[in-house]
Amino acid sequence: MTPLDTATQDAITRAAALMARARHTVVLAGAGMSKESGIPTFRGDGGLWTINGEPPLNQYETFAADPRRWWERRIEEAAQPSDFAAAIDDAQPNPGHRALAELERMGAVAHLITQNIDDLHRRAGQESITEIHGNRHWMRCVACGMRWPKAEYIVDATELPPRCTQDGCGGIVKSDTVMFGEPIPALALERCARETRRADCFMTIGTSAVVYPAAGYPIDATRRGVPLIEINPEETPLTPLATVVVRAPSGEALPALIELLRTHRNGSTTTP
Ligand SMILES: [Zn+2]
């Protein structure tokens, strides 16, 4: 790991001071964190959609019109995964994911809203988490919103689409990943809004902050005067709103932040 330059180190010191004073820091994470695990991004230079074009915007309509057909294609595709699917399946949590989970264990991060669908935050040990675009490794009932890790939900290929078994619900079950054209589950939106209202410090990590509603949470927080910390190697539309900008990847910035927060705590022995 290359040593951080002075400006970056200064920014992390100011970020640590903000977090040390906060009681409820909420984090919004995006594709930049997954990229550090070798998962291709969608937007921006070299992004999958930049190269291949955006996927159809009516994915959910297609699914809802014929869920059986959708499931049949899905099972065919699983036998021959795309490069992107293979990259996600092979990916491991990186130092950024592990440091973010450690910040939660330390009590320095209260909640994580992630736009990433790759499960790497959970695998790194993060517990208080809203996956606003779903989780590729989970399933969800479109009727009642019940979610299951995929391994626990056995798909019987003779009875497609699979149906929800929760209290006789019988709703159609799909991948938890939120499709284009699909409403984001209400429970996830409510939790994001609630956590954002409680936040007294907000941090964005590796998100280009162009996809709504996720991009709106840090904006809502700053309107209430909540300090915003941005961790991103690139400038984003949120940069002008940020109180502190850390121009570094999460895998370098977050471990340094942990060190400083520990120093803050050890130095504040006079606090009751
Ligand atoms: Zn259900």
Side-chain angles (χ1 to χ4, degrees):
M1 191 162 73
T2 47
L4 296 166
D5 63 53
T6 312
T8 307
Q9 194 65 51
D10 283 353
I12 295 171
T13 303
R14 282 183 287 133
L18 288 174
M19 288 178 78
R21 280 200 295 273
R23 291 175 168 212
H24 200 89
T25 295
V26 173
V27 176
L28 172 68
M33 285 201 78
S34 301
K35 189 180 176 185
E36 292 174 49
S37 283
I39 295 175
T41 55
F42 296 111
R43 296 183 169 83
D45 284 349
L48 286 178
W49 296 344
T50 312
I51 297 166
N52 302 321
E54 298 247 346
L57 295 176
N58 62 346
Q59 280 177 334
Y60 188 66
E61 210 180 319
T62 306
F63 164 80
D66 192 348
R68 181 187 174 86
R69 178 76 194 114
W70 185 89
W71 266 106
E72 285 168 350
R73 292 189 60 167
R74 181 81 193 214
I75 288 168
E76 283 166 26
E77 281 163 13
Q80 283 188 315
S82 66
D83 289 350
F84 177 64
I88 292 192
D89 291 338
D90 292 344
Q92 300 296 326
N94 64 57
H97 293 111
R98 289 195 291 272
L100 192 54
E102 176 62 17
L103 285 166
E104 182 186 72
R105 283 191 291 273
M106 290 166 67
V109 163
H111 190 71
L112 166 67
I113 300 168
T114 184
Q115 299 162 277
N116 301 331
I117 59 168
D118 49 40
D119 207 35
L120 295 180
H121 293 292
R122 282 178 196 278
R123 285 174 54 196
Q126 201 88 32
E127 290 187 1
S128 182
I129 173 167
T130 304
E131 292 157 314
I132 192 168
H133 296 159
N135 183 325
R136 188 175 180 277
H137 298 285
W138 286 53
M139 311 276 261
R140 173 166 43 84
C141 168
V142 296
C144 72
M146 177 79 184
R147 301 168 80 223
W148 305 263
K150 205 174 271 183
E152 288 177 15
Y153 205 96
I154 308 301
V155 173
D156 178 354
T158 62
E159 283 190 45
L160 295 176
R163 298 279 176 169
C164 176
T165 51
Q166 184 72 5
D167 296 333
C169 167
I172 292 170
V173 171
K174 67 180 280 294
S175 161
D176 184 46
T177 308
V178 175
M179 297 172 174
F180 274 109
E182 178 181 2
I184 291 174
L187 285 174
L189 288 178
E190 283 162 20
R191 187 160 194 205
C192 292
R194 193 166 65 236
E195 293 290 342
T196 301
R197 278 197 301 273
R198 286 185 68 189
D200 58 0
C201 180
F202 206 103
M203 178 157 66
T204 59
I205 309 175
T207 175
S208 51
V210 292
V211 180
Y212 283 81
Y217 299 123
I219 295 171
D220 289 349
T222 57
R223 283 198 183 122
R224 289 193 294 111
V226 171
L228 174 65
I229 300 164
E230 177 176 72
I231 298 180
N232 200 317
E234 319 278 336
E235 186 166 344
T236 79
L238 290 175
T239 301
L241 296 177
T243 319
V244 174
V245 176
V246 180
R247 284 275 170 263
S250 65
E252 294 176 19
L254 295 181
L257 190 58
I258 288 176
E259 288 300 311
L260 287 168
L261 279 169
R262 290 206 170 111
T263 312
H264 265 278
R265 288 180 179 194
N266 295 338
S268 57
T269 46
T270 53
T271 311

